[in-house]
Amino acid sequence: MTRDGAQYIEGLRDGRQVYIDGELVTDITRHPAFKGAVQSIAALYDTVHDPANREKLTFASPATGEPASLAHLIPRSAADLTRRRIALKAMAEKTYGLMGRGPEHVAGFLAGFAGHAHVFGEGGAHFAENVQRFHAKARDEDLYLTYTILPPQIDRTKPAHQQAEPDLYAGVVAERDGGIVVRGAQMLGTGTAISDYVYLSNIAPLVPGDEAYALAAMVPLNAPGVKVYARRSYARAASSLFDYPVSARFDETDSLLVYEDVFVPWENVFAYRNIDVVKRQWFATAGHLLGNNQAQIRFWTKLEFLVGLAQRVAEMNGSVKLPPVRSALGEMAAKVSTVAGLVLAQEQNAEVDSHGVAWPGRAQCFANMTLQPQLYSELLVMIRDLCGGGLIQLPSSANDFANPAIAADLDRFIQSPGFPATERVKLLKLVWDMVGSEFASRHHQYEMFYAGAPFVVKSRMYDAYDFTPGRELVDTMLASYDLGGLREAARDDRVAVGS
Ligand SMILES: Cc1cc2nc3c(=O)[nH]c(=O)nc-3n(C[C@H](O)[C@H](O)[C@H](O)COP(=O)(O)OP(=O)(O)OC[C@H]3O[C@@H](n4cnc5c(N)ncnc54)[C@H](O)[C@@H]3O)c2cc1C
């Protein structure tokens, strides 16, 4: 059954240990660093829970018949992927594409894992059962899952077991009755502070000797020993909603996760001391593709929002009438269309495998991942270019409008035709929060890295792309001529195509 926002919020009051600015947070739902993001996620839960959206955003749980978020669907056909995409797009629009690790992100990974639970079963049948049971639980209890699947950046030149201390990277240190004990740290838990469970595993390659780190497990945020160290809060630094409209509401936070002798019961363990399974979970299941397919639906939404803002600024400044500005907006629109087209192409290139699971088109998914950092960086520069100094020539805060003497000058000198000062300032402060603020800068880093370092993503694209047609064209071309000119067979080809 889907939860509503109030139930989600209540679930966060569970004694978790989240630290920020030198203090333990006593109630994350009320703390200024987190409450804006909590409210935004709660609003998303309300939307999915709303009976009016049941048809569009949910499916009937095969276990209970109750509505479950489509984020948890194991797609069985291209039509399922389309249905899922329509739902995920509507969910992304609730947060303007600004919450990368909302409840609908890791849900996609888990659905993919459950569709190919046999991969986890290679380490023992009970692991496959654990994956399927947890997927059903997450679906039917409408859990919010996040993940930490990389060790901290301590020394990237050495494998896990050769770090200066054996328990820097999170790994198993003991087995106890009923489960395992995990110690060490992982990065970078986006949204983890305000989620229900964190998935602890590894996507970076492990090598022989790293067996203790070859884990996959679901850990509740209130498990004793789980410590969440949040980065600086942009929401808390926001002077007002008017001044920082997106920082204040959508700062999902990123955290270092420290697992200090955390006991994980066997039923929450998906892989244990198994380098092969930990590696294969990402690519021998549809998990990685489904998770990233969702991420790109969100990215598409965010780009639509950014381009909408760019057009509004150009309209406000009157520059939209200038051909070079229209051409720049056209180029921005082309970038969004590229991302959208590659999302839709993943449905057209979907394949249903022998397990009855529909995989989104792999090459199209990796193409989007590859282009994303570049497209996003270019778009930010183009919007800055379009806005010029207007983004900076803004009142220091909303309070300036409260002082009549200051407001009189602002009303006169910071306005545009059809846009009184407050409207102009409101729009430009929103743009600044999207392209220039600390929140915006973190988003730039996020879009560059959330799917992995660009060099890693590009090499995955190399593996995903079918070079065969191109190679065949090269062979045909090279075979068509030699030192003596066009070969006889090629002449026939030319006649055959009527040239
Ligand atoms: C805002 C943000 C949110 C994130 N959220 C999450 C999350 O929710 N969960 C999670 O698990 N992770 C998350 N991540 C982590 C993300 O997955 C990693 O940042 C990403 O996989 C890259 O790893 P890294 O940061 O350790 O970079 P590194 O691997 O250290 O790479 C950094 C740079 O070093 C260079 N480099 C490193 N190694 C090589 C090499 N072998 N060859 C050539 N060049 C190299 C490259 O220039 C590379 O871009 C997040 C990251 C960011 C920035």
Side-chain angles (χ1 to χ4, degrees):
M1 182 72 182
T2 53
R3 288 190 292 177
D4 64 18
Q7 289 169 313
Y8 155 67
I9 290 174
E10 199 44 48
L12 298 178
R13 297 192 180 113
D14 60 359
R16 63 190 57 206
Q17 287 185 72
V18 177
Y19 297 89
I20 193 163
D21 297 329
E23 289 174 356
L24 173 68
V25 176
T26 47
D27 182 351
I28 197 150
T29 69
R30 295 206 171 95
H31 190 281
F34 304 98
K35 73 176 179 198
V38 168
Q39 290 297 331
S40 295
I41 296 290
L44 179 57
Y45 268 105
D46 280 338
T47 302
V48 179
H49 187 67
D50 185 346
N53 296 323
R54 187 165 293 174
E55 180 68 25
K56 185 175 177 183
L57 304 183
T58 69
F59 67 111
S61 162
T64 65
E66 298 284 345
S69 166
L70 271 165
H72 294 291
L73 181 75
I74 302 175
R76 302 291 179 186
S77 62
D80 272 358
L81 286 172
T82 302
R83 185 179 175 204
R84 178 179 181 269
R85 183 249 306 158
I86 290 168
L88 295 176
K89 185 81 174 61
M91 293 180 205
E93 285 168 7
K94 278 298 289 179
T95 58
Y96 304 86
L98 292 173
M99 298 187 91
R101 308 295 205 224
E104 69 277 30
H105 181 64
V106 175
F109 279 82
L110 184 60
F113 295 162
H116 294 106
H118 64 278
V119 171
F120 296 87
E122 289 162 11
H126 54 292
F127 290 123
E129 287 160 19
N130 291 350
V131 172
Q132 286 179 322
R133 191 183 338 95
F134 199 91
H135 170 250
K137 176 183 168 70
R139 178 194 64 209
D140 295 334
E141 296 178 17
D142 206 8
L143 297 176
Y144 177 6
L145 317 171
T146 53
Y147 54 24
T148 57
I149 53 176
L150 275 187
Q153 264 181 346
I154 293 174
D155 182 349
R156 284 278 186 263
T157 64
K158 294 197 179 99
H161 73 281
Q162 286 174 14
Q163 296 294 316
E165 296 166 47
D167 52 5
L168 289 177
Y169 288 12
V172 63
V173 290
E175 274 184 41
R176 282 205 203 126
D177 276 355
I180 57 175
V181 178
V182 176
R183 188 186 300 159
Q186 289 286 91
M187 68 185 263
L188 177 61
T190 300
T192 304
I194 57 169
S195 67
D196 300 310
Y197 278 77
V198 59
Y199 187 55
L200 162 59
S201 195
N202 243 302
I203 196 163
L206 296 172
V207 299
D210 286 343
E211 285 74 12
Y213 310 90
L215 297 175
M218 282 289 179
V219 182
L221 261 293
N222 67 348
V226 173
K227 297 196 282 188
V228 183
Y229 293 103
R231 62 150 164 76
R232 173 183 152 75
S233 165
Y234 315 134
R236 191 176 204 178
S239 44
S240 77
L241 184 65
F242 187 85
D243 291 310
Y244 291 94
V246 285
S247 301
R249 292 170 61 193
F250 303 110
D251 185 9
E252 60 189 334
T253 81
D254 312 279
S255 303
L256 171 75
L257 264 281
V258 172
Y259 300 87
E260 191 176 80
D261 292 342
V262 176
F263 176 74
V264 186
W266 281 120
E267 60 262 30
N268 286 359
V269 178
F270 298 175
Y272 179 61
R273 291 186 180 275
N274 195 322
I275 291 175
D276 201 41
V277 168
V278 166
K279 179 179 174 191
R280 279 167 52 71
Q281 67 177 324
W282 308 112
F283 304 109
T285 77
H288 188 267
L289 276 186
L290 288 173
N292 281 290
N293 173 262
Q294 180 279 330
Q296 291 166 13
I297 294 166
R298 174 206 56 82
F299 184 58
W300 168 15
T301 306
K302 185 180 183 181
L303 295 196
E304 283 179 327
F305 182 45
L306 276 168
V307 172
L309 284 173
Q311 190 194 39
R312 189 68 58 87
V313 170
E315 285 169 356
M316 183 173 73
N317 289 346
S319 62
V320 74
K321 298 182 193 116
L322 304 173
V325 170
R326 293 177 85 86
S327 140
L329 286 167
E331 189 179 334
M332 293 183 208
K335 292 182 195 303
V336 188
S337 302
T338 302
V339 171
L342 283 169
V343 168
L344 300 180
Q346 289 169 51
E347 291 159 33
Q348 278 155 6
N349 289 279
E351 282 179 16
V352 179
D353 69 8
S354 58
H355 300 274
V357 177
W359 299 61
R362 185 183 290 274
Q364 295 73 30
C365 186
F366 279 105
N368 239 351
M369 262 187 263
T370 300
L371 294 176
Q372 179 165 323
Q374 184 188 324
L375 286 181
Y376 195 69
S377 302
E378 289 168 358
L379 197 62
L380 293 182
V381 171
M382 291 182 84
I383 295 175
R384 280 171 175 262
D385 180 64
L386 194 73
C387 294
L391 275 182
I392 305 300
Q393 185 222 261
L394 288 170
S396 54
S397 81
N399 292 339
D400 285 349
F401 284 105
N403 179 325
I406 300 175
D409 277 340
L410 299 181
D411 288 344
R412 240 183 112 207
F413 298 115
I414 305 189
Q415 55 152 322
S416 291
F419 287 82
T422 48
E423 292 305 306
R424 183 179 163 84
V425 171
K426 183 180 185 186
L427 178 63
L428 289 175
K429 280 189 179 269
L430 171 58
V431 174
W432 180 249
D433 211 8
M434 288 294 292
V435 306
S437 68
E438 198 172 1
F439 173 89
S441 186
R442 176 267 174 198
H443 267 260
H444 193 177
Q445 198 73 0
Y446 181 80
E447 302 300 359
M448 288 179 71
F449 277 97
Y450 82 79
F455 78 94
V456 175
V457 173
K458 287 177 192 167
S459 71
R460 290 198 179 125
M461 178 68 210
Y462 181 89
D463 294 338
Y465 185 69
D466 181 5
F467 284 90
T468 315
R471 295 178 66 85
E472 286 173 358
L473 284 171
V474 171
D475 289 341
T476 306
M477 173 55 104
L478 291 175
S480 71
Y481 61 92
D482 54 22
L483 286 171
L486 206 57
R487 282 186 179 151
E488 202 57 39
R491 278 199 198 103
D492 292 347
D493 283 351
R494 190 190 54 182
V495 171
V497 296
S499 56

